[in-house]
Short mmCIF file of all heavy atoms in Angstrom, two decimals:
data_model
loop_
_atom_site.label_atom_id
_atom_site.label_comp_id
_atom_site.label_asym_id
_atom_site.label_seq_id
_atom_site.Cartn_x
_atom_site.Cartn_y
_atom_site.Cartn_z
N LEU A 197 -26.31 41.58 58.61
CA LEU A 197 -27.01 40.38 59.11
C LEU A 197 -26.66 39.12 58.30
O LEU A 197 -27.09 38.03 58.67
CB LEU A 197 -28.53 40.61 59.07
CG LEU A 197 -29.05 41.77 59.91
CD1 LEU A 197 -30.55 41.92 59.74
CD2 LEU A 197 -28.67 41.57 61.38
N GLY A 198 -25.91 39.29 57.23
CA GLY A 198 -25.58 38.16 56.38
C GLY A 198 -24.09 37.92 56.29
O GLY A 198 -23.28 38.52 57.01
N LEU A 199 -23.74 37.02 55.40
CA LEU A 199 -22.35 36.68 55.13
C LEU A 199 -22.27 36.49 53.61
O LEU A 199 -22.71 35.46 53.09
CB LEU A 199 -21.96 35.40 55.87
CG LEU A 199 -20.48 35.14 56.18
CD1 LEU A 199 -19.87 36.29 56.98
CD2 LEU A 199 -20.32 33.83 56.94
N ASP A 200 -21.78 37.49 52.93
CA ASP A 200 -21.90 37.58 51.47
C ASP A 200 -20.90 36.66 50.76
O ASP A 200 -19.70 36.93 50.72
CB ASP A 200 -21.68 39.03 51.04
CG ASP A 200 -21.90 39.25 49.56
OD1 ASP A 200 -22.35 38.30 48.89
OD2 ASP A 200 -21.64 40.36 49.07
N ALA A 201 -21.41 35.58 50.18
CA ALA A 201 -20.54 34.62 49.50
C ALA A 201 -19.93 35.20 48.23
O ALA A 201 -18.79 34.86 47.87
CB ALA A 201 -21.33 33.36 49.17
N LEU A 202 -20.66 36.11 47.57
CA LEU A 202 -20.12 36.72 46.36
C LEU A 202 -18.89 37.58 46.69
O LEU A 202 -17.87 37.51 46.00
CB LEU A 202 -21.19 37.56 45.67
CG LEU A 202 -20.75 38.40 44.47
CD1 LEU A 202 -20.09 37.54 43.40
CD2 LEU A 202 -21.93 39.16 43.89
N SER A 203 -18.99 38.40 47.72
CA SER A 203 -17.85 39.24 48.11
C SER A 203 -16.65 38.39 48.49
O SER A 203 -15.50 38.73 48.17
CB SER A 203 -18.23 40.13 49.29
OG SER A 203 -19.21 41.07 48.92
N GLU A 204 -16.91 37.26 49.15
CA GLU A 204 -15.80 36.40 49.54
C GLU A 204 -15.17 35.72 48.32
O GLU A 204 -13.95 35.54 48.26
CB GLU A 204 -16.27 35.35 50.55
CG GLU A 204 -15.15 34.53 51.16
CD GLU A 204 -14.15 35.36 51.93
OE1 GLU A 204 -14.46 36.52 52.28
OE2 GLU A 204 -13.03 34.86 52.18
N ALA A 205 -15.98 35.39 47.33
CA ALA A 205 -15.44 34.81 46.09
C ALA A 205 -14.53 35.82 45.39
O ALA A 205 -13.46 35.48 44.89
CB ALA A 205 -16.59 34.39 45.18
N VAL A 206 -14.96 37.09 45.38
CA VAL A 206 -14.13 38.13 44.77
C VAL A 206 -12.84 38.33 45.56
O VAL A 206 -11.77 38.52 44.99
CB VAL A 206 -14.93 39.45 44.66
CG1 VAL A 206 -14.03 40.59 44.20
CG2 VAL A 206 -16.11 39.27 43.71
N ARG A 207 -12.94 38.27 46.90
CA ARG A 207 -11.73 38.38 47.71
C ARG A 207 -10.75 37.27 47.37
O ARG A 207 -9.53 37.49 47.21
CB ARG A 207 -12.07 38.31 49.20
CG ARG A 207 -10.85 38.60 50.11
CD ARG A 207 -11.07 38.12 51.53
NE ARG A 207 -11.05 36.67 51.64
CZ ARG A 207 -9.93 35.95 51.69
NH1 ARG A 207 -8.74 36.52 51.60
NH2 ARG A 207 -10.00 34.63 51.81
N LEU A 208 -11.26 36.05 47.23
CA LEU A 208 -10.40 34.92 46.90
C LEU A 208 -9.77 35.10 45.51
O LEU A 208 -8.58 34.86 45.33
CB LEU A 208 -11.20 33.62 46.94
CG LEU A 208 -11.46 33.04 48.34
CD1 LEU A 208 -12.46 31.89 48.24
CD2 LEU A 208 -10.18 32.57 48.99
N LEU A 209 -10.57 35.51 44.56
CA LEU A 209 -10.05 35.72 43.21
C LEU A 209 -8.88 36.72 43.23
O LEU A 209 -7.83 36.49 42.63
CB LEU A 209 -11.18 36.23 42.30
CG LEU A 209 -10.93 36.32 40.80
CD1 LEU A 209 -12.26 36.26 40.05
CD2 LEU A 209 -10.21 37.59 40.41
N THR A 210 -9.06 37.81 43.96
CA THR A 210 -8.01 38.83 44.06
C THR A 210 -6.79 38.29 44.80
O THR A 210 -5.64 38.54 44.42
CB THR A 210 -8.55 40.08 44.77
OG1 THR A 210 -9.71 40.55 44.09
CG2 THR A 210 -7.51 41.18 44.82
N ALA A 211 -7.05 37.52 45.85
CA ALA A 211 -5.94 36.96 46.64
C ALA A 211 -5.13 35.97 45.81
O ALA A 211 -3.90 35.92 45.92
CB ALA A 211 -6.49 36.28 47.89
N PHE A 212 -5.81 35.18 44.98
CA PHE A 212 -5.10 34.22 44.14
C PHE A 212 -4.17 34.95 43.17
O PHE A 212 -3.03 34.52 42.92
CB PHE A 212 -6.08 33.34 43.37
CG PHE A 212 -6.93 32.45 44.24
CD1 PHE A 212 -8.15 31.96 43.76
CD2 PHE A 212 -6.53 32.08 45.51
CE1 PHE A 212 -8.94 31.13 44.54
CE2 PHE A 212 -7.31 31.25 46.30
CZ PHE A 212 -8.52 30.79 45.81
N ARG A 213 -4.64 36.05 42.62
CA ARG A 213 -3.79 36.83 41.71
C ARG A 213 -2.59 37.41 42.45
O ARG A 213 -1.48 37.47 41.91
CB ARG A 213 -4.60 37.96 41.07
CG ARG A 213 -5.62 37.47 40.05
CD ARG A 213 -6.29 38.62 39.34
NE ARG A 213 -7.13 38.17 38.25
CZ ARG A 213 -7.80 38.98 37.44
NH1 ARG A 213 -7.72 40.29 37.61
NH2 ARG A 213 -8.55 38.49 36.46
N ALA A 214 -2.81 37.81 43.69
CA ALA A 214 -1.72 38.39 44.47
C ALA A 214 -0.65 37.36 44.81
O ALA A 214 0.52 37.71 45.00
CB ALA A 214 -2.28 39.02 45.75
N VAL A 215 -1.04 36.10 44.89
CA VAL A 215 -0.05 35.04 45.13
C VAL A 215 1.03 35.09 44.05
O VAL A 215 2.23 34.99 44.34
CB VAL A 215 -0.73 33.65 45.16
CG1 VAL A 215 0.32 32.54 45.12
CG2 VAL A 215 -1.60 33.52 46.40
N ILE A 216 0.61 35.25 42.80
CA ILE A 216 1.56 35.26 41.70
C ILE A 216 2.48 36.48 41.79
O ILE A 216 3.70 36.37 41.63
CB ILE A 216 0.82 35.26 40.34
CG1 ILE A 216 -0.14 34.06 40.24
CG2 ILE A 216 1.81 35.27 39.18
CD1 ILE A 216 0.53 32.72 40.33
N THR A 217 1.92 37.63 42.05
CA THR A 217 2.72 38.86 42.04
C THR A 217 3.57 39.02 43.29
O THR A 217 4.66 39.61 43.25
CB THR A 217 1.81 40.09 41.90
OG1 THR A 217 0.86 40.11 42.97
CG2 THR A 217 1.08 40.06 40.58
N ASP A 218 3.08 38.51 44.44
CA ASP A 218 3.74 38.80 45.72
C ASP A 218 4.61 37.66 46.24
O ASP A 218 5.50 37.91 47.07
CB ASP A 218 2.69 39.14 46.79
CG ASP A 218 1.89 40.38 46.44
OD1 ASP A 218 2.28 41.09 45.51
OD2 ASP A 218 0.86 40.62 47.11
N ARG A 219 4.36 36.42 45.81
CA ARG A 219 5.05 35.30 46.46
C ARG A 219 5.91 34.46 45.52
O ARG A 219 6.67 33.60 45.99
CB ARG A 219 4.02 34.39 47.14
CG ARG A 219 3.11 35.11 48.11
CD ARG A 219 2.30 34.14 48.93
NE ARG A 219 1.16 34.79 49.57
CZ ARG A 219 0.30 34.18 50.36
NH1 ARG A 219 0.44 32.89 50.62
NH2 ARG A 219 -0.71 34.83 50.90
N ILE A 220 5.78 34.66 44.21
CA ILE A 220 6.49 33.81 43.25
C ILE A 220 7.61 34.59 42.59
O ILE A 220 7.42 35.74 42.18
CB ILE A 220 5.51 33.26 42.19
CG1 ILE A 220 4.36 32.50 42.85
CG2 ILE A 220 6.25 32.36 41.20
CD1 ILE A 220 4.79 31.31 43.68
N ASP A 221 8.76 33.97 42.49
CA ASP A 221 9.89 34.54 41.77
C ASP A 221 9.45 34.93 40.36
O ASP A 221 8.95 34.10 39.61
CB ASP A 221 11.01 33.50 41.71
CG ASP A 221 12.28 33.99 41.01
OD1 ASP A 221 12.24 35.01 40.30
OD2 ASP A 221 13.32 33.32 41.18
N PRO A 222 9.60 36.21 39.97
CA PRO A 222 9.13 36.63 38.63
C PRO A 222 9.85 35.93 37.48
O PRO A 222 9.39 35.99 36.35
CB PRO A 222 9.39 38.14 38.63
CG PRO A 222 10.38 38.38 39.71
CD PRO A 222 10.14 37.33 40.75
N ASN A 223 10.98 35.27 37.78
CA ASN A 223 11.68 34.51 36.74
C ASN A 223 11.10 33.11 36.55
O ASN A 223 11.54 32.38 35.66
CB ASN A 223 13.17 34.38 37.10
CG ASN A 223 13.87 35.73 37.08
OD1 ASN A 223 13.81 36.44 36.08
ND2 ASN A 223 14.52 36.08 38.18
N LYS A 224 10.14 32.76 37.40
CA LYS A 224 9.52 31.43 37.32
C LYS A 224 8.09 31.57 36.77
O LYS A 224 7.35 32.46 37.18
CB LYS A 224 9.44 30.79 38.71
CG LYS A 224 10.79 30.64 39.42
CD LYS A 224 11.59 29.49 38.86
CE LYS A 224 12.82 29.25 39.72
NZ LYS A 224 13.62 28.11 39.23
N ALA A 225 7.74 30.67 35.84
CA ALA A 225 6.40 30.70 35.26
C ALA A 225 5.40 30.11 36.25
O ALA A 225 5.63 29.04 36.82
CB ALA A 225 6.37 29.90 33.96
N ALA A 226 4.29 30.83 36.45
CA ALA A 226 3.26 30.36 37.37
C ALA A 226 1.94 31.07 37.06
O ALA A 226 1.94 32.24 36.68
CB ALA A 226 3.65 30.62 38.82
N LEU A 227 0.84 30.34 37.23
CA LEU A 227 -0.48 30.91 36.96
C LEU A 227 -1.49 30.35 37.96
O LEU A 227 -1.47 29.17 38.29
CB LEU A 227 -0.97 30.54 35.55
CG LEU A 227 -0.30 31.20 34.35
CD1 LEU A 227 -0.77 30.51 33.07
CD2 LEU A 227 -0.62 32.68 34.30
N ILE A 228 -2.35 31.23 38.47
CA ILE A 228 -3.61 30.80 39.08
C ILE A 228 -4.70 31.55 38.31
O ILE A 228 -4.82 32.77 38.43
CB ILE A 228 -3.69 31.13 40.59
CG1 ILE A 228 -2.55 30.46 41.35
CG2 ILE A 228 -5.04 30.66 41.13
CD1 ILE A 228 -2.58 30.73 42.85
N SER A 229 -5.45 30.82 37.52
CA SER A 229 -6.46 31.43 36.65
C SER A 229 -7.84 31.03 37.15
O SER A 229 -8.20 29.85 37.12
CB SER A 229 -6.27 30.96 35.21
OG SER A 229 -4.98 31.28 34.74
N THR A 230 -8.61 32.01 37.61
CA THR A 230 -10.01 31.77 37.99
C THR A 230 -10.88 32.11 36.78
O THR A 230 -10.95 33.26 36.37
CB THR A 230 -10.40 32.64 39.19
OG1 THR A 230 -9.49 32.40 40.26
CG2 THR A 230 -11.81 32.29 39.65
N CYS A 231 -11.52 31.10 36.24
CA CYS A 231 -12.19 31.26 34.94
C CYS A 231 -13.72 31.22 35.03
O CYS A 231 -14.38 31.55 34.05
CB CYS A 231 -11.72 30.16 33.99
SG CYS A 231 -9.93 30.17 33.72
N MET A 232 -14.26 30.82 36.17
CA MET A 232 -15.71 30.79 36.33
C MET A 232 -16.07 31.30 37.72
O MET A 232 -15.43 30.94 38.70
CB MET A 232 -16.27 29.37 36.14
CG MET A 232 -16.18 28.83 34.73
SD MET A 232 -16.81 27.13 34.62
CE MET A 232 -18.53 27.37 35.11
N LEU A 233 -17.13 32.13 37.77
CA LEU A 233 -17.67 32.60 39.04
C LEU A 233 -19.19 32.64 38.90
O LEU A 233 -19.72 33.36 38.05
CB LEU A 233 -17.12 33.97 39.42
CG LEU A 233 -17.30 34.44 40.88
CD1 LEU A 233 -16.43 35.66 41.15
CD2 LEU A 233 -18.75 34.78 41.22
N ASN A 234 -19.87 31.88 39.72
CA ASN A 234 -21.34 31.87 39.72
C ASN A 234 -21.83 32.19 41.13
O ASN A 234 -21.41 31.54 42.10
CB ASN A 234 -21.88 30.50 39.29
CG ASN A 234 -21.53 30.18 37.86
OD1 ASN A 234 -21.78 30.97 36.96
ND2 ASN A 234 -20.92 29.01 37.63
N ALA A 235 -22.70 33.20 41.23
CA ALA A 235 -23.21 33.57 42.55
C ALA A 235 -24.45 34.44 42.40
O ALA A 235 -24.64 35.12 41.40
CB ALA A 235 -22.14 34.32 43.34
#
Side-chain angles (χ1 to χ4, degrees):
L197 300 178
L199 203 56
D200 185 6
L202 173 56
S203 294
E204 188 61 17
V206 172
R207 187 198 71 81
L208 282 170
L209 189 156
T210 304
F212 295 157
R213 289 186 172 182
V215 169
I216 304 299
T217 58
D218 298 348
R219 305 190 197 181
I220 304 300
D221 182 343
N223 294 306
K224 303 283 188 179
L227 289 170
I228 301 180
S229 302
T230 305
C231 301
M232 292 178 62
L233 195 167
N234 295 308

